[in-house]
Structure formats: C-alpha cells, structure tokens
Amino acid sequence: MQIIRNRISYHIPRFGFKYLCDTTFLNEEHLQIQKVALDFAKEKMLPYASDWDKNNYLPSQVLKELSEMGFATIYVKQELGGVGLDHLSASVIFEALSYGDITTTATLAVQNLCAYLLANYGTEEQRKVWIPRINSFDALVAYCLTEPNSGSDNKNMETYAKKDGKDYIINGIKCFISGGSVSDLYLIVCKTSEKDVSSILVEKDTPGLSFGKVEDKMGWHASPTTRVILENVRVPQSNLVGKEGQGFKMGMSALDGGRINISSCSLGGASLALDLAKDYLQDRKQFGQQLSNFQGLQFKFADMAASLVTSRLIVRQAAMKLDENQIDKSLYVSMAKTYATDSCFDVANDALQLHGGYGYLREYQIERIVRDLRVHKILEGTNEIMRMIIARNLLK
Amino acid sequence: MKVLVAVKRVVDSGIKVRVKPEGIDLQGVKMTINPFCEIAVEEAVRLKEKKLIAEIVAVTIGPKQGAESLRHALALGADKAIHVTTEARIDQAVQPLDVANILAKLVERDNYNLVLMGKQSIDDDFNQTGQMLAGLLDWPQATFASNIQITDGVAQVIREIDGGLQTVKFKLPGVITCDLRLNQPRFASVPNIMKAKSKPLETIPLDKLGKLHNSIQITKTEAPAVRKGGAIVENVDVLLQKLRTEAKLF
C-alpha cells in the first residue's frame, strides 16, 4: 500500500487481525466461528464501513446475511429458537465483526439483546412471532430504556403504562434509542405502577407512536438514533413481556450480556486501529527512515498492543463468568466493560496520533474508529456507573 | 450418488512464510483449508442441493489438526467425514502418488460415483493427485473445472486450459478437479457449524490404507531472491550487454 504517492480509499490492512489474536479460553468451536465471522467482516463489511458512515446508511442487506448466519440470536437457547451458543462465543463474534464495522455490529448486538429478553421472559406467543423474524432480519428491534430525565438514574423513569380495560395506555418519551424510527418493534421499559417497572412491546405504526429527528451524532452514523415519543399509545396487555415489576430485573440481566457485547465491539475496533497503525508506521518514512524505527513510537505502539491484549483477556474472562453464572459475574462484567472501552478508545486515539496529519483525514478510516468507539464509554451503563458497581461490590 | 471430496489443510495464503533449512516453518502458523479444496466442497454441496447427488463424504490425510478442515467441510454441507491420520509432514512427506493410492482404496471400499478435489494444493502446487487417482482407478477425469453439469449419470465439464475453454463429457464414475472460477464458497452459518459436530467422523490410521514412500525428496527450500534495485543505462547497447551478461537472457 502506498500512502503517499497513490492515495487509495479505505486501505485494508495487510495482515489484519492475524497478530495478537489470542486464542486463550477459546475452544475449537469458538475458533471455527471466529474464522467465519472474521472472513465475513473482512469481505463484506470492512470495504464498505466508511461509506456507510459517510452516508448515514444502515446496511440492511448485510444485517440480513449476518442474521441468517445465526448471529442475531447467539446466546438464545436452541429450544427457544436461537443458536444456543454462550456469551464467550458472542464476544468472539462481535469482536470479529467489529473489525469490519463497529456500528453495524452494535446494531446486531441490540438484536441479540432484545431476542434474549423475548426468548427468556416473553410468552410462547411472543417468542413464536418475533424470534424467527429476528433470525431472518425481517424485524429490527429497538430497546427503549433511557429518557431525557433518566439516564444513569434509570429507576427515575417517567414513562407510564396505565391499564385501561384489556389494554395499556402508554405515555412518555424515550431518548437515545438506536434504531429509532426504522425499527419494527420497540421494547418499552416503563412504569406500570408507582414501584413496578415493566417491559411492553409496541409495534411500529401503532397510533400515538412517533419519533424525534435523527440525532446528528459524533459517530455510529450507520445507526439512526432518535427519541421515541409515546402519546396515549394503546396496546393489548398481552404485549407485556414477563411479569409486571419484572422489567428492571430483565433489563439488568440483559445488560450484563450487552456490556460484554459492547466491550467486544471495542476490541474489534481497536484491533483494526492497531493494524492500520502498524501498516502506517512501516510504510511512512521521515528523516530518512521508517517511523517504526523511532523508539518513542515503538514504545507507544507496544503500550497499545499490551492494552489491547489485556482488554481482550478481561472481556473473555467476564464472558466466561457470565456463562457459568458465577456469583461475581456482574463485578467482572463491569470491570471488563469499563477497562476495555476506555483502553480501546485510547488505542484508537493513539493510532490516530501515530498517523500524523493523515489520521485526521476520513479516507484513512482511523478517525471513524475513534468517533465510533467514543460512545462505548457512555452507553450500556457509563463507565462511571461501572465504577460505582465495582466499588459497591468490593467495599461493601 | 455418492461423492468423495478430498480436502487438504495448508498454510494460510495470507501469512508471511518463514523459511527454515528443513522447509517452511509451520510452528504457530495459521493453517486453513486449501482454497481449491473448499471450492470442491462447495461444488459438491451445490450438486446435492440440486438433488443430483445424495451423499457427500469429505476426507483428509494428516495429523489430528487436519480434522479442522473436515469440520469446515461438514459445516459447509458434507454429510460424513473420514480422517486418515498420520504424523508425517503434510506439506512434504504426504505426496501425490501415495495420496492417490489411499484415495483409490477408499473409493473401492465405499463405492463412490464421483471424486471431487481441488486442482492443486497451494503448498506444493503438484497438480497431480486427481490425475493419478483417475489413472489408478481407470476412470475418466476432467481437470481445471470451471463448470460442472451432471445429467443422467453423465458429467459435462468445462475446463480452463491454456488455449481457452474446453468442454469434455464422460459417463460417471470419474474424477473432477476444481479450479478457481468454478464457484465462490459460502460462509458457513453458526447453526451448520454446530450441526457439524454431530456428523459422523471416521478415523483411520494411514498404514491401514497405504504407505508413504517418500519417493520425492525435498533437497532444498529457499526463499525467492530478494529483489535487487534496477539501474538506469545510457543507451541501448549497454542495455543489450546487461541483458546478455547479467540477466543472461540470451
């Protein structure tokens, strides 16, 4: 690849993901699945990711193919309609797919989260209708928890579902909803009484359901984010997922998996950043030699590499604890989420710096990774909340 | 109709090869299914989807890691697998005539109607095994296939040859070796990868089927010469002189 003379668009790293690809904790099946996911990511996602970002385009065709390969219901048990793998497999898959495109993989992660909730807490009817639709990407599902006045303090939500005959009437506003305005199903977490938080399904085109404008975000451009507005939205009470009052517990159990997933997305993005930086350091010459000869840059690269490897290890360990339902799983998931999302953003940011002026140009892809990874420190529970959970677990 | 597909586990085409005196350094190197073998498996699966064949059996020769390629074939759609085990170096000691003899034994044992394989493996590039197998079985062969049609037990194959495209037709059973443009292998889906775990995999030690004679010996392995810089010459005479004395072109 010639960076200086013939600038090509969207460089594909020469030996992408082949170095520093730990197989610690992975068995043969994980490796097989990782290979499939990585091959797909490199062929069908990586060459297009920058275009999707530039055009704010949600790549439905690619998401359909990914869903048909079994990547939309990864940790839903087979008897409930899913693929029946574990969280460690999900971590490996999301890491590999994020190498291709972080945002699209995150969209897939939301599908997995909603499928998990519908499968484990939904009625048989709900499962029979929605799980096959998620598996074929016939339905895009959005998870609606955050509100303008309740982010980290999500217990303080105001969206309320009042019983009326055999229906619920829901009023409220949800914000920062990924897939808002383009999803087929919205899983609304709302209060059904003073104390009870519940999850209720609202399908698109239900009267009273409307959306705010598509937010103009720093990154994650391939996923539209909007407010979801519910004005006297009437749905049958059979749209309740699980029991009344169970909504919070459901959310917390889904978030553990979701946090592993988002951390894994960070790992994939940082891997690409590291590969791009490596190619740049070996190609670019200044002062008569390759940048990779300068010790300052070597040290920086070494730190980035160690950072990526450690992040990967803690995420995989947390995934295994989640799979084994160990008592300290939430502690480790919180540690993994905060460590990996922070470290991987720094890896991407450092990789941008190593690119010098070219790092600032969209064409070199690295700035997209930085922009996309920035939000991972915030969503699925801010890293500040993660620290609260860790401290509470250790210091109580 | 039963099809035998032979697959080989080779060094991944994307890696940087390290050369040691005794051969390519395989230590810790990424290995994968030979691309032409994968194309052969994909073709077999497509023929099965068209209901032209009933059963696909994948076979490989090699150490226990060779089973990875078999599981890949099973995940793509093969029904059964056979693993002929040996600890010999698969890129050096497992040679075409020995492989052909072993495959011939399996063909006789299990009565296949068609053998599909890659045209060559990317580690030794022999491009001999399919042809030798056909010779040993006294079967017709079509190599470098870029298109395969099967109707009523007759195979019609378009071959990519130096002069262009050649179409051959023969009555099965036969051997067909597959070339690059025959198809593009699918991505295995996760449900298929998991189903592959429960498909039958038979293990046979190599000496029960044949022997490795090592009739070809590798005498030297070396990396290609490092590219030297060019030179600008003043006129055509100097150019001709350099072509004669240095490049030794004529």
Side-chain angles (χ1 to χ4, degrees), chain A residues 141-147 173-181 183 185-188 211 215 217 223-229:
Chain A
V141 190
Y143 186 65
C144 309
L145 174 60
T146 302
E147 296 181 8
I173 306 179
K174 295 291 183 185
C175 65
F176 295 135
I177 304 305
S178 299
S181 79
S183 293
L185 183 68
Y186 296 84
L187 191 53
I188 312 283
F211 307 100
E215 306 287 4
K217 308 187 296 290
S223 163
T225 306
T226 72
R227 290 192 160 194
V228 173
I229 302 157

Side-chain angles (χ1 to χ4, degrees), chain A residues 14-22 271 274-275 278 282 308 312, chain B residues 14-16 18:
Chain A
R14 277 192 291 269
F15 297 115
F17 210 82
K18 278 169 176 140
Y19 300 115
L20 305 184
C21 186
D22 310 297
S271 284
L274 200 65
D275 285 341
K278 175 179 188 294
Q282 290 178 327
L308 176 61
R312 193 179 276 142
Chain B
I15 66 131
K16 201 167 172 166
R18 289 186 301 271

Side-chain angles (χ1 to χ4, degrees), chain A residues 6-78:
Chain A
N6 315 322
R7 278 158 58 168
I8 54 167
S9 290
Y10 314 148
H11 161 67
I12 310 280
R14 277 192 291 269
F15 297 115
F17 210 82
K18 278 169 176 140
Y19 300 115
L20 305 184
C21 186
D22 310 297
T23 54
T24 323
F25 302 139
L26 304 186
N27 63 29
E28 218 194 286
E29 184 180 70
H30 292 128
L31 291 174
Q32 234 187 323
I33 295 170
Q34 182 187 57
K35 179 177 193 309
V36 172
L38 195 53
D39 286 344
F40 187 95
K42 285 199 262 182
E43 190 182 310
K44 301 219 167 174
M45 295 168 80
L46 183 55
Y48 311 103
S50 292
D51 282 333
W52 297 338
D53 170 77
K54 191 165 172 189
N55 298 316
N56 295 347
Y57 176 71
L58 183 100
S60 313
Q61 182 52 36
V62 168
L63 282 162
K64 188 170 187 344
E65 287 178 58
L66 285 168
S67 302
E68 283 166 354
M69 283 166 74
F71 290 145
T73 53
I74 301 170
Y75 44 94
V76 172
K77 297 197 193 68
Q78 276 184 4

Side-chain angles (χ1 to χ4, degrees), chain A residues 58-61 63-68 71-73 107-115 118 126-143 178-179 181-187 201-204:
Chain A
L58 183 100
S60 313
Q61 182 52 36
L63 282 162
K64 188 170 187 344
E65 287 178 58
L66 285 168
S67 302
E68 283 166 354
F71 290 145
T73 53
T107 304
L108 199 60
V110 174
Q111 294 290 88
N112 274 278
L113 184 146
C114 294
L118 284 165
Q126 289 164 346
R127 235 187 298 133
K128 283 220 171 95
V129 167
W130 293 105
I131 302 289
R133 287 187 69 181
I134 292 176
N135 270 327
S136 61
F137 201 63
D138 183 49
L140 185 65
V141 190
Y143 186 65
S178 299
S181 79
V182 299
S183 293
D184 301 279
L185 183 68
Y186 296 84
L187 191 53
L201 299 173
V202 176
E203 287 185 57
K204 71 172 179 191

